[in-house]
Amino acid sequence: MQTTFRSVFISDVHLGTKACQADHLLDFLQKITTETLYLVGDIIDLQEMKNRAHFVDTHTRIIEQVLDMARTGTKVIYIPGNHDAFFRQFAGQTLSGIDIRLNARHTTSDGRTFYVSHGDEFDQMIKISPLMLAIGDRAHGLMLSLNQWINGVRRLFGLPYWSLAGYLKTHINKAKEFIERFETAALKSAKNHQVDGYICGHIHYASFRIKDDVLYCNDGDWVEHCTALTEAPSGQLNLIHWSEQPRHLATEPLNDNWGFTPNGSPTPSKAT
């Protein structure tokens, strides 16, 4: 049985790398139908594949699933990120039924307008030096390798998936400061674009944040947390955490006082 959404936003899949949680994503895509699917950048990690490609059968099946969705009526919009920036040169074109854009505006069924982009454009705005970005990329790769090892051990003991990266991002002050600066930059950009909110990915941290009636939404990733942002037919936005236990559609309950954190726990925040 499939669950129907009005729109679904996913990003930071990193196909072509060992870190990609391809089994979970394929399972998710096979269990939903949606009017519009937004691929919000870093879908295929061309940057990492220059050094070492890991493109297994499940990765190919994900691409086939997306193409099949486009053929059967789903509007698929692809906004390349910094790891698949090669595809930005095709912005404005439609390839195999997939619209490629640098950014997009999405209007929910309840009339709110959101600006949609990958989010890497904020890297310079929040003063991350090229050296720190390079160090961060290497450290992040090591962290993902450790994450795979830790969860392999956890599976042996029947324990659910746990994100090392997610834990560090919520317990290291520098990481928390970076996330806050990123969110602030996106909220400011939404104000400049005169929209009701901003939807992006890039930092691998799914969350909602509201300030001055502007809503920030980050759809997370499919290497550490397996999250997607969904819009219900009513226009309500939710974050879905597609963890190993259970592997079925289950949204985090959202109301005026509670939001979502990647580890599945609610946290105080204004959400919609």
Side-chain angles (χ1 to χ4, degrees):
M1 182 177 177
Q2 291 183 312
T3 301
T4 299
F5 297 103
R6 186 172 182 269
S7 58
V8 172
F9 302 79
I10 61 172
S11 73
D12 300 275
V13 176
H14 294 275
L15 291 172
T17 70
K18 287 185 177 181
C20 174
Q21 301 286 330
D23 289 338
H24 293 321
L25 179 57
L26 181 61
D27 186 58
F28 172 71
L29 291 174
Q30 289 175 339
K31 290 183 179 176
I32 66 165
T33 58
T34 180
E35 293 178 22
T36 307
L37 174 64
Y38 285 90
L39 306 174
V40 194
D42 288 2
I43 304 302
I44 302 175
D45 197 332
L46 299 176
Q47 185 172 301
E48 180 63 26
M49 287 175 67
K50 290 178 182 177
N51 302 316
R52 181 179 297 176
H54 180 79
F55 215 96
V56 295
D57 179 64
T58 314
H59 295 206
T60 302
R61 290 173 64 193
I62 287 171
I63 293 175
E64 291 172 347
Q65 177 69 23
V66 171
L67 291 173
D68 184 63
M69 292 171 74
R71 281 193 298 267
T72 55
T74 298
K75 184 175 184 179
V76 180
I77 297 173
Y78 179 23
I79 300 171
N82 52 308
H83 281 253
D84 48 10
F86 170 82
F87 293 109
R88 287 175 172 168
Q89 64 185 304
F90 302 108
Q93 300 182 43
T94 300
L95 303 178
S96 299
I98 297 174
D99 293 337
I100 303 177
R101 305 181 190 179
L102 296 179
N103 52 64
R105 284 179 181 248
H106 175 77
T107 302
T108 58
S109 63
D110 55 10
R112 292 173 296 167
T113 301
F114 288 81
Y115 193 87
V116 187
S117 76
H118 179 61
D120 61 297
E121 63 267 37
F122 300 129
D123 285 347
Q124 299 306 315
M125 295 173 62
I126 56 179
K127 299 180 181 179
I128 301 296
S129 70
L131 176 60
M132 287 303 296
L133 283 173
I135 293 172
D137 277 347
R138 291 187 180 184
H140 190 250
L142 174 61
M143 189 163 50
L144 291 179
S145 296
L146 286 172
N147 198 63
Q148 288 179 323
W149 183 84
I150 289 169
N151 280 286
V153 174
R154 287 176 66 86
R155 278 193 295 270
L156 291 176
F157 289 93
L159 296 173
Y161 179 84
W162 177 80
S163 173
L164 171 63
Y167 176 84
L168 294 177
K169 286 175 183 177
T170 56
H171 288 77
I172 296 178
N173 287 335
K174 285 291 184 181
K176 290 191 287 187
E177 289 172 10
F178 167 78
I179 291 169
E180 185 175 349
R181 292 201 305 270
F182 183 89
E183 292 174 350
T184 299
L187 286 164
K188 183 178 179 180
S189 182
K191 281 273 191 180
N192 293 338
H193 286 290
Q194 298 182 325
V195 292
D196 298 301
Y198 208 108
I199 296 172
C200 58
H202 187 47
I203 61 171
H204 295 206
Y205 191 78
S207 65
F208 288 110
R209 179 180 167 188
I210 194 165
K211 183 179 180 181
D212 299 328
D213 295 323
V214 177
L215 180 63
Y216 163 89
C217 308
N218 194 300
D219 60 22
D221 66 275
W222 289 85
V223 296
E224 300 165 35
H225 309 114
C226 301
T227 51
L229 176 70
T230 64
E231 179 196 355
S234 64
Q236 180 180 1
L237 297 172
N238 288 288
L239 283 162
I240 289 178
H241 185 198
W242 199 263
S243 61
E244 291 186 12
Q245 296 180 356
R247 286 181 68 180
H248 61 77
L249 279 172
T251 58
E252 293 292 324
L254 296 174
N255 53 43
D256 285 344
N257 299 312
W258 297 95
F260 173 87
T261 56
N263 65 4
S265 302
T267 184
S269 67
K270 186 76 179 283
T272 61

